[in-house]
Amino acid sequence: MSMLVIVCYDVSTESSAGRRRLRRVAKVCESMGQRVQKSVFECRLDLAKFEALERRLLREVDLDEDGLRFYRVSGRYELSVTQHGRFRATDFEDGSLVV
Amino acid sequence: MSMLVIVCYDVSTESSAGRRRLRRVAKVCESMGQRVQKSVFECRLDLAKFEALERRLLREVDLDEDGLRFYRVSGRYELSVTQHGRFRATDFEDGSLVV
């Protein structure tokens, strides 16, 4: 059974180490879903894939410094997603802006 | 009928104007829910209250610079929330860290 998974990652991108971690977290999440904000990712996964994602992300983050929050929604839910303003993910590889 | 509302706010806090906007967004959201990450807030609201929240937030943000994303979940849903690492909200009033 597929779930909606929202991953929110809280890291300071003021340090280069933080930016590096965010880049890695984004890469893992993007392999299983999509980036919707700088530090928010959306995936639709079954439980096994969610557990794999969680395991992989826990290897990338620094739990003393960062926060990682997962929302898993399943069942007979109704979902409404609204976006205002811009989606702007910084590409920390080269410092340029990806809009 | 009450919904789960997740508000994700994407703003650069590298500028003092961005920090000011985040502070104001947090203040509005905290009056209707709780802060769970630096830029993520959770509320349980009915539709009228959600619309009031959305209206108030749209007055605070800069849509040319920021992104504001709302998830509304209702119906017969099952929800699982998992947090790893720390919750660390910076208090931009005085620059200190609120853990």
Side-chain angles (χ1 to χ4, degrees):
Chain A
M1 193 181 67
S2 170
M3 308 175 291
L4 166 69
V5 179
I6 304 166
V7 183
C8 306
Y9 182 47
D10 207 356
V11 61
S12 170
T13 53
E14 277 160 44
S15 75
S16 64
R19 290 194 293 273
R20 195 178 319 119
R21 292 199 300 277
L22 176 54
R23 205 158 57 219
R24 289 182 183 166
V25 163
K27 205 166 180 180
V28 171
C29 290
E30 281 168 349
S31 73
M32 299 183 112
Q34 64 171 335
R35 191 174 202 167
V36 293
Q37 282 194 349
K38 196 168 102 177
S39 304
V40 180
F41 309 88
E42 259 176 58
C43 316
R44 287 185 187 273
L45 304 171
D46 62 23
L47 186 61
K49 283 198 173 128
F50 168 74
E51 287 171 350
L53 174 67
E54 187 177 34
R55 229 174 10 246
R56 288 176 65 191
L57 289 180
L58 286 172
R59 282 202 296 264
E60 301 298 346
V61 303
D62 179 342
L63 293 181
D64 292 330
E65 294 292 329
D66 311 336
L68 185 60
R69 193 170 181 90
F70 296 101
Y71 293 90
R72 278 182 287 162
V73 187
S74 59
R76 292 171 59 189
Y77 61 86
E78 289 149 44
L79 173 70
S80 166
V81 184
T82 320
Q83 170 84 32
H84 298 279
R86 57 198 302 194
F87 168 62
R88 184 165 74 160
T90 306
D91 181 349
F92 292 114
E93 285 301 344
D94 61 4
S96 69
L97 216 55
V98 182
V99 179
Chain B
M1 194 182 69
S2 171
M3 309 175 289
L4 166 69
V5 179
I6 303 167
V7 183
C8 306
Y9 182 47
D10 207 355
V11 62
S12 170
T13 54
E14 276 160 45
S15 74
S16 63
R19 289 194 292 275
R20 195 178 319 120
R21 291 198 300 276
L22 175 55
R23 203 159 60 218
R24 289 183 183 164
V25 163
K27 207 166 178 181
V28 171
C29 290
E30 282 168 348
S31 72
M32 298 183 114
Q34 66 172 335
R35 190 174 203 165
V36 294
Q37 280 195 351
K38 196 167 102 176
S39 304
V40 180
F41 309 88
E42 258 175 60
C43 316
R44 285 184 188 272
L45 304 171
D46 62 24
L47 186 61
K49 282 198 174 129
F50 167 73
E51 287 171 349
L53 173 68
E54 189 177 33
R55 228 171 15 243
R56 288 175 66 190
L57 289 180
L58 286 173
R59 282 200 298 264
E60 301 297 346
V61 304
D62 178 343
L63 294 180
D64 292 331
E65 294 291 328
D66 312 336
L68 184 61
R69 194 172 179 88
F70 296 101
Y71 293 91
R72 279 183 286 161
V73 187
S74 59
R76 293 172 59 190
Y77 62 87
E78 288 149 46
L79 173 71
S80 166
V81 185
T82 320
Q83 170 83 31
H84 298 280
R86 57 198 303 195
F87 167 62
R88 185 166 73 160
T90 305
D91 180 350
F92 292 116
E93 284 301 344
D94 61 3
S96 68
L97 215 56
V98 182
V99 178

